[in-house]
Amino acid sequence: MANMRTAMDAAFWDLNISTPRALDGTARSIPGEPIPLDRSKASKALRIQQLSLLGNGFPLGIIPSYSPTSRKELGSFALQSLLFKAATSNWWLGFTGQFRPKKLVSDIKAELASVDEWELPILKDIGKHFLEKSLYAFGLCSQLSLTPSSSLLLSTEKHGEKKGRRLRAMLFHKLPEHDVTLEAAWPELFLDHKGRYWEVPESISLDCSSLVSEDGLRYRFGLHKNGGHPRAVDNITDEPPFSLMQGICGKAAVSYEKSKDFWRIKEKKEDIIIETDKGRIYRPSYDIRLREPHAAVSGIIGGTLEAWLNNGSSSSSASRHRSPFGVDLFGSLCYTFQHGKFKESFGDLTRVDARLDVSSALGLAKQVSKVFRKASSNNARDVLSSPRLELILQQQVAGPIVFRVDSKFSLNSPTGVQLEDFVCSLNYSLKLLQSGKVVAWYSPKRKEGMIELRLFEF
């Protein structure tokens, strides 16, 4: 079933989105914008851990990725690899690298085209092209277990074509019923609902989140600080989102989640242990989270409360003003249908998830009132006024390979239904991990794609 927790997590600054633009493989979702596509959420495994495991299945441990850069001559195709790793019982360190071959190949071709005779100086000139720093990016990541329930994560990365480096730190502490996280980044990379990237010079968050209780109640609260003026990575002239403007914000949210099965075929012992003439054969599902055919409905409803210590009036536009206080409601409703147990080689998995998201009940109410009053609406300010419908289709291709399509539609009454986002992916389930898979996805909207390792995601 589509992850209902995203509805509340999207209101905070720590929801990770998968992206090949950063060596750590993540950017942050922007609070105050529509709930991101379910497939867009980043893997629970750190990128450096993914590279370590994925490298065992790729030639020379090199994993390809695809993302545009500010310098077109560098190309979009890149190769990533874990260059070095070290570990002890409570500490590990990893060094990653990225290489963009397009410019190198183009420069060498141009060099060879102008050569009449092969001489030693020509080889030296060709060798200099390999030293072009814009071709490379390097990252260093380390994690230290301070106690059995606390850990410290430090990382830095430097891209040759960019000035400066990116630094990140995270302190995580697990309590019996809560998770406490302190995170900081200089700068932090954010992704808006239009597929555009923003950099905030300083981003610091302190967050406390409760675990989901048996009755479905969950809450979280925290403080967040933005420092400096946001900068558009993609050379756009639009004003930055209000949530990224400098200031300190205190936010709290509470939600209630519930699910109900219309029908479900429970897995039995005889389904996974098959009696044959040669004895018993253990044959589980390729993914334990996809092992039971069913039809179900789930929903979540909640509210948020926030207060800013800076109203964001430092924007270049005098008409832009961020309210110092905010109260809102959100909700999601999802219907899931699954056919097959995902055990056979063909035709044993077809799954559809249809999810309706209302990110802002206040924004929706304002939009409805404008329709009845026939008032003109400002689309730039009504980004949350329209509900979103997300459709997820999964179809088994062969064995553990599943083709998946995630699409999101904006239900905007003046203009009708609009396709807002779309991601397609191929998933190879790893039976030994019970619910692990290698995912190769591509986003036409962002013109990006990468290969990830995901664990315990439906």
Side-chain angles (χ1 to χ4, degrees):
M1 190 168 293
N3 194 338
M4 293 286 99
R5 294 182 59 177
T6 309
M8 185 166 76
D9 293 340
F12 291 79
W13 283 264
D14 63 347
L15 180 59
N16 286 326
I17 304 297
S18 291
T19 176
R21 290 214 183 186
L23 285 184
D24 63 4
T26 62
R28 298 301 179 108
S29 173
I30 300 178
E33 294 211 342
I35 299 172
L37 205 62
D38 202 79
R39 173 53 83 199
S40 298
K41 287 187 58 181
S43 171
K44 297 177 182 178
L46 296 174
R47 183 58 179 169
I48 194 169
Q49 295 170 333
Q50 297 177 44
L51 294 177
S52 178
L53 294 173
L54 290 174
N56 297 324
F58 284 82
L60 302 178
I62 299 174
I63 293 90
S65 65
Y66 188 87
S67 66
T69 61
S70 56
R71 293 176 55 181
K72 293 184 178 180
E73 69 271 16
L74 294 175
S76 299
F77 182 71
L79 300 172
Q80 297 181 347
S81 181
L82 178 61
L83 303 177
F84 171 80
K85 63 180 179 180
T88 63
S89 59
N90 65 340
W91 168 85
W92 59 260
L93 173 74
F95 183 61
T96 58
Q98 177 178 275
F99 170 61
R100 292 184 180 273
K102 180 181 178 181
K103 186 176 186 300
L104 177 64
V105 174
S106 299
D107 290 344
I108 292 178
K109 281 185 177 180
E111 193 78 43
L112 295 178
S114 61
V115 172
D116 294 328
E117 296 182 3
W118 283 90
E119 298 179 354
L120 183 60
I122 299 300
L123 297 178
K124 291 183 178 179
D125 291 339
I126 293 177
K128 290 180 180 179
H129 292 299
F130 285 90
L131 302 179
E132 173 64 45
K133 67 178 184 179
S134 64
L135 304 177
Y136 304 97
F138 297 99
L140 186 66
C141 183
S142 178
Q143 186 173 33
L144 173 65
S145 296
L146 304 175
T147 68
S149 58
S150 302
S151 63
L152 175 65
L153 178 69
L154 301 172
S155 66
T156 181
E157 62 182 69
K158 176 70 172 70
H159 294 255
E161 77 278 10
K162 298 179 182 179
K163 295 181 179 179
R165 65 180 69 243
R166 183 186 183 194
L167 302 171
R168 296 191 70 176
M170 182 181 75
L171 178 63
F172 175 80
H173 182 67
K174 188 175 183 61
L175 297 173
E177 300 295 335
H178 298 80
D179 291 334
V180 180
T181 308
L182 175 62
E183 295 183 87
W186 303 271
E188 184 62 279
L189 184 66
F190 288 88
L191 177 66
D192 67 19
H193 72 287
K194 294 182 179 180
R196 304 175 303 187
Y197 289 89
W198 300 84
E199 278 190 352
V200 176
E202 180 184 62
S203 176
I204 303 175
S205 295
L206 174 62
D207 183 81
C208 180
S209 176
S210 71
L211 304 181
V212 179
S213 61
E214 294 182 357
D215 58 4
L217 186 65
R218 179 171 173 255
Y219 59 88
R220 61 182 298 182
F221 55 89
L223 290 172
H224 178 81
K225 178 182 181 293
N226 291 325
H229 189 76
R231 181 184 70 87
V233 177
D234 301 313
N235 297 320
I236 58 177
T237 58
D238 290 3
E239 292 282 359
F242 279 127
S243 297
L244 302 186
M245 300 301 295
Q246 60 183 351
I248 299 176
C249 178
K251 178 172 283 192
V254 61
S255 68
Y256 176 75
E257 181 180 343
K258 195 71 175 178
S259 63
K260 176 69 174 179
D261 288 344
F262 293 119
W263 57 268
R264 179 181 294 268
I265 301 177
K266 293 286 187 178
E267 185 180 59
K268 300 178 182 179
K269 183 178 180 180
E270 53 266 27
D271 294 332
I272 58 176
I273 300 179
I274 310 300
E275 297 284 352
T276 66
D277 296 337
K278 297 181 180 181
R280 294 181 177 180
I281 298 177
Y282 180 64
R283 194 179 65 169
S285 171
Y286 291 111
D287 190 323
I288 62 173
R289 294 202 170 189
L290 297 172
R291 62 187 175 183
E292 295 180 346
H294 67 280
V297 62
S298 64
I300 186 172
I301 187 170
T304 60
L305 171 66
E306 68 177 22
W308 285 90
L309 297 183
N310 186 312
N311 64 6
S313 58
S314 60
S315 170
S316 59
S317 175
S319 61
R320 285 169 55 86
H321 181 82
R322 180 174 60 203
S323 174
F325 299 100
V327 179
D328 211 339
L329 299 175
F330 61 86
S332 294
L333 183 66
C334 179
Y335 173 77
T336 300
F337 172 81
Q338 177 179 321
H339 166 75
K341 300 179 180 180
F342 198 31
K343 295 173 59 177
E344 306 297 336
S345 298
F346 298 97
D348 198 27
L349 177 67
T350 299
R351 178 172 172 138
V352 178
D353 290 78
R355 171 172 153 174
L356 180 66
D357 294 322
V358 176
S359 301
S360 171
L362 182 60
L364 178 60
K366 289 181 178 179
Q367 180 68 21
V368 172
S369 66
K370 287 180 180 179
V371 172
F372 282 104
R373 292 187 289 109
K374 298 182 179 180
S376 61
S377 63
N378 187 338
N379 290 333
R381 297 185 179 181
D382 292 340
V383 64
L384 294 180
S385 63
S386 301
R388 265 72 179 179
L389 176 64
E390 181 174 347
L391 297 177
I392 305 173
L393 171 64
Q394 297 184 79
Q395 178 62 52
Q396 182 184 23
V397 178
I401 302 176
V402 174
F403 178 69
R404 170 168 167 163
V405 176
D406 291 55
S407 55
K408 182 169 64 175
F409 300 87
S410 174
L411 308 181
N412 193 332
S413 55
T415 57
V417 179
Q418 294 181 328
L419 178 62
E420 192 171 82
D421 204 354
F422 173 81
V423 174
C424 56
S425 62
L426 273 179
N427 307 264
Y428 187 94
S429 295
L430 304 172
K431 189 180 295 187
L432 291 177
L433 297 180
Q434 293 187 325
S435 186
K437 64 191 73 174
V438 177
V439 179
W441 62 263
Y442 178 74
S443 170
K445 180 179 182 177
R446 292 191 270 156
K447 298 179 180 179
E448 293 179 348
M450 65 188 297
I451 299 174
E452 294 183 290
L453 176 68
R454 293 179 176 262
L455 304 173
F456 292 96
E457 301 175 23
F458 84 95

